[in-house]
Every structure is written in structure tokens, then in C-alpha cells.
């Protein structure tokens, strides 16, 4: 019998290719992890260490469901990303051991209320409401690393209504997956169920109601959503 004074929140779980589901604990996101995207946002990628922001676990949109156009914005942007699913946790994980902590990988979208983000940056305030709003993280199936390996290179691409918007290669990441895990685990203890969105390449842009977003990462999988 539960001692909770309210109904316990549901566990967010992402489908796994081949069966089963991955329960999500926390969602970390790497900011500006591709040099060309950093430049298109007005930053110098050669002078920064990685930094992170978060989304709530229940911000994820699974099974190709629609994503509603969020309130309080007129500039909703897409950001196509490789997502890392952590299977075993740790603190201060050595880079050489980092990939052993990965359960698998997925394709995901870090949707952003760009106008709110710009206003927050200008005022020196947090990005939370620009990045961590409801249903801001469409994600595809997680493919276990036992099947997909650990992709260090390969095309990452996003199309909107069939037209390519973002196209790059995972090898162009400033911080690769092992480096990102090692660095992040020095800031917080990673645990099973954590996800890491690893940053987006150049070509981010606005989407509107009715647009269909289809992303794919070679050797990993795909993500799809419609802006409702």
C-alpha cells in the first residue's frame, strides 16, 4: 500500500528497437556541440567547454505522436540531435570507459522557443522555458549499442515537409559521446535512465502548424512528428 499523498507521476518510457522500453530519469542537453551551429548562433566554438541544460522527462514525445505548437512563442525552431541513453551510471567516468555506460542511441529533436531563448540570453536569465516546455522533445526508438555499436560518424539529417533543412555528420561534433559523458559525469552523477541530447548541427529554423518533421541518423534510426 502506497504512502504517497497524491497519485505517483507516470514513468516516461521510450520504446526500444526489438522490444521493451527504456524508463527515463533525466534529460540532459549539450549546447552548441557543432562548430557551424555555434557560428550561426553567433558564438566562437573554439573557446568554449561543453555546457548543459535540461528538459523534464515528460517533455519527450514518443511513437511519432504529434507535437502541439507551444504557447507564448512565434518562433519555434527544430534542432536535430543524436540522443545517448545511459545504461549504467557513475561519477567522474574516465573517457576511456565512458562508452561502456551507454545502453543505446536514438534520434531526437530539441525543439526550442527561439524568441524566448533570445530574450532570456539578453536578460542573462535561464533558458528553461525556451527549452524545457511541455512536449518539447520528440524522440525515436532507442537502438541498443549491442546492435548499433557506438556511432562516431554518419549522416545526421532533418527534413521539413520533405525538404532537407539540416544535414551534417556525427564526426563534426566538437565533443564526441565519450568526451561528453566524461565531462557531464564530473558535474553530476549519471544514473541508469538518463538521456543526453548531444547537440544539433547547423541549419536550425522555424516550423509552423501542420509541418511534418522527419529526421534520421545513419546506423541509429529516425524520428518523426507533426506540428499540430
Amino acid at each position: 500500500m502506497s504512502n504517497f499523498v497524491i497519485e505517483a507521476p507516470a514513468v516516461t518510457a521510450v520504446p526500444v528497437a526489438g522490444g521493451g522500453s527504456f524508463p527515463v530519469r533525466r534529460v540532459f542537453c549539450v549546447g552548441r556541440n557543432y562548430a557551424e551551429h555555434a557560428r550561426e548562433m553567433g558564438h566562437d566554438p573554439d573557446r568554449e567547454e561543453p555546457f548543459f541544460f535540461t528538459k523534464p522527462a515528460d517533455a519527450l514525445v514518443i511513437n511519432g505522436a504529434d507535437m502541439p505548437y507551444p504557447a507564448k512563442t512565434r518562433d519555434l525552431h527544430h534542432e536535430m540531435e543524436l540522443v545517448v541513453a545511459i545504461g549504467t551510471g557513475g561519477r567522474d567516468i574516465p573517457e576511456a570507459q565512458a562508452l561502456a555506460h551507454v545502453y543505446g542511441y536514438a534520434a531526437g529533436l530539441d525543439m526550442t522557443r527561439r524568441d524566448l531563448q533570445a530574450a532570456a540570453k539578453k536578460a542573462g536569465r535561464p533558458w528553461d522555458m525556451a527549452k524545457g516546455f511541455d512536449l518539447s522533445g520528440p524522440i525515436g526508438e532507442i537502438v541498443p549499442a549491442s546492435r548499433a555499436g557506438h556511432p562516431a560518424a554518419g549522416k545526421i539529417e532533418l527534413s521539413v515537409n520533405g525538404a532537407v533543412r539540416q544535414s551534417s555528420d556525427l564526426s563534426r561534433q566538437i565533443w564526441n559521446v565519450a568526451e561528453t559523458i566524461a565531462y557531464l559525469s564530473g558535474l553530476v552523477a549519471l544514473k541508469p535512465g538518463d538521456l543526453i541530447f548531444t547537440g544539433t548541427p547547423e541549419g536550425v529554423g522555424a516550423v509552423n502548424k501542420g509541418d511534418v518533421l522527419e529526421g534520421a541518423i545513419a546506423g541509429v534510426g529516425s524520428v518523426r512528428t507533426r506540428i499540430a
Side-chain angles (χ1 to χ4, degrees):
M1 184 175 180
S2 173
N3 289 322
F4 296 143
V5 296
I6 61 171
E7 184 177 349
V11 174
T12 298
V14 179
V16 173
S21 58
F22 182 91
V24 179
R25 178 175 177 265
R26 296 182 295 185
V27 180
F28 298 98
C29 305
V30 185
R32 297 195 292 262
N33 196 26
Y34 287 77
E36 291 307 317
H37 173 59
R39 292 188 183 102
E40 76 178 349
M41 299 303 291
H43 300 276
D44 183 346
D46 297 323
R47 295 183 180 178
E48 296 182 329
E49 294 187 337
F51 69 95
F52 302 85
F53 55 92
T54 61
K55 291 180 183 282
D58 62 5
L60 297 175
V61 180
I62 63 173
N63 294 322
D66 288 353
M67 176 196 162
Y69 196 98
K72 307 297 183 182
T73 185
R74 294 183 178 181
D75 197 20
L76 177 66
H77 278 214
H78 57 74
E79 297 192 9
M80 179 67 193
E81 311 202 2
L82 173 71
V83 183
V84 180
I86 298 296
T88 58
R91 186 188 295 276
D92 295 318
I93 298 170
E95 183 182 326
Q97 300 173 18
L99 296 183
H101 292 261
V102 176
Y103 172 79
Y105 298 89
L109 288 163
D110 167 25
M111 302 301 291
T112 303
R113 294 195 278 205
R114 191 70 73 199
D115 44 1
L116 270 65
Q117 185 188 36
K121 287 180 179 179
K122 185 175 181 179
R125 295 174 178 171
W127 297 359
D128 296 56
M129 293 301 101
K131 291 285 194 176
F133 56 92
D134 296 341
L135 304 176
S136 59
I139 187 171
E141 286 187 327
I142 293 173
V143 178
S146 59
R147 292 176 52 180
H150 297 284
K155 180 181 285 189
I156 176 171
E157 189 168 271
L158 177 75
S159 296
V160 178
N161 301 327
V164 175
R165 289 273 192 93
Q166 293 183 267
S167 185
S168 188
D169 195 280
L170 297 177
S171 63
R172 296 179 183 171
Q173 290 182 332
I174 297 170
W175 298 87
N176 64 33
V177 170
E179 292 168 335
T180 297
I181 291 172
Y183 194 97
L184 180 57
S185 69
L187 297 171
V188 295
L190 294 176
K191 294 189 177 182
D194 288 342
L195 296 180
I196 305 172
F197 280 62
T198 60
T200 193
E202 70 275 13
V204 300
V207 292
N208 300 296
K209 293 178 182 178
D211 285 347
V212 175
L213 283 62
E214 297 175 295
I217 300 175
V220 174
S222 61
V223 59
R224 183 187 189 277
T225 193
R226 181 179 70 91
I227 307 301

